[in-house]
Amino acid sequence: MPDATTEAQAQALPAERAERPTQGEKPLVRLEDVKVHFPIRRGLFARGVVKAVDGVSLQLARGETVALVGESGSGKTTLGRASLRLIEPTAGRVLFDGRDITHVPEARLKWFRRRAQAVFQDPYSSLNGTMTIEQIVEEPLIIHGVGTREERRARVLEALEAVRLRPPEEFLKKFPHQLSGGQRQRAAIARALVLDPEYVVADEPVSMVDASSRAEILLVLKERQEAAGTAILYITHDIATARHFAHRVGVMYLGHLVELGPSERVIENPLHPYTQALIAAVPEPDPTNRLRERPVIPGEPPSPAHTPKGCPFHPRCPKAMKGTCDVEGRTPQLKEHEPGHWVACYLY
Ligand code: SF4
């Protein structure tokens, strides 16, 4: 049975209006009221539940980048994995190109695996160290039975060129440990892109590479998107890169999407107190050219196993209203405050 939150959310987010794609076409990826709950077990018995994602609706159009931002534990990585069906949602639906894949067994998802790919945070563990770069990038083509050996070699070279591992021939026989962190992540991106996917989840793709490689890696992804119309879900804790890289930004807190809208609107005119605090905490250059740290958000996010009653942000919110924001069973729902700009907060 749906809980009160779900029912209220369904009212606040009618399916046909929930996070419309920016491109005016039918969405490629559609998440409908997705929940991912993990039971906490001690021995044989369940001792509670972690609500990693708790009723999120979101959709991406072809050629659109949506950035998901939020602190650790906000549920953004879990939501990204659910959208790729690397995790089966507890409730809600995941649709890809109009097909419901929420509970389809893995053996029947090969068509989807070819069309949707992931780039993970850690280029050190995501590449098999015993394989050459050529073998790593070619492997998805072999798994999906694409091309002859010569055709696969040509596609590998093309993918390496596209991620600026140049000249590509020089990288074919190298092993991951012979590459820098930035080069390794670009090899991981080449592997993800070699199948020409329509949807890519890029989960903190630049957080473990040196600063000089970050802009180039994001540029590679952006070029790819513009050339091939790929939809990208860009998961990051870095709201500053989200502004430049994404068409829309979604802000997550404790498993909830609390704000969603065009990147410039969300960053220049943040509505939710949590988004305002996230942006205020971004370091910015001062006139002496040193990075100046702004104040961080007070307190730690509560555990998703013990979500506060009422608005999940209320214990940390400087604008919390007693008797409104802390009432059990009343979670603020996303509402469209201005065209395309949604916020879940009782201030609006
Ligand atoms: Fe703050 Fe209340 Fe808005 Fe939650 S609903 S963000 S506690 S003002």
Side-chain angles (χ1 to χ4, degrees), residues 209-232:
V209 301
D210 54 281
S212 60
S213 292
R214 280 181 202 157
E216 190 169 26
I217 286 172
L218 290 178
L219 193 62
V220 160
L221 283 168
K222 202 173 172 83
E223 281 174 357
R224 163 66 189 203
Q225 179 190 58
E226 285 166 3
T230 315
I232 299 178

Side-chain angles (χ1 to χ4, degrees), residues 119-123 181-189 204-205 209 217:
V119 176
F120 295 113
Q121 176 178 22
D122 183 0
Q183 289 174 330
R184 242 180 295 213
Q185 189 60 303
R186 279 183 275 156
I189 293 171
E204 302 274 14
V209 301
I217 286 172

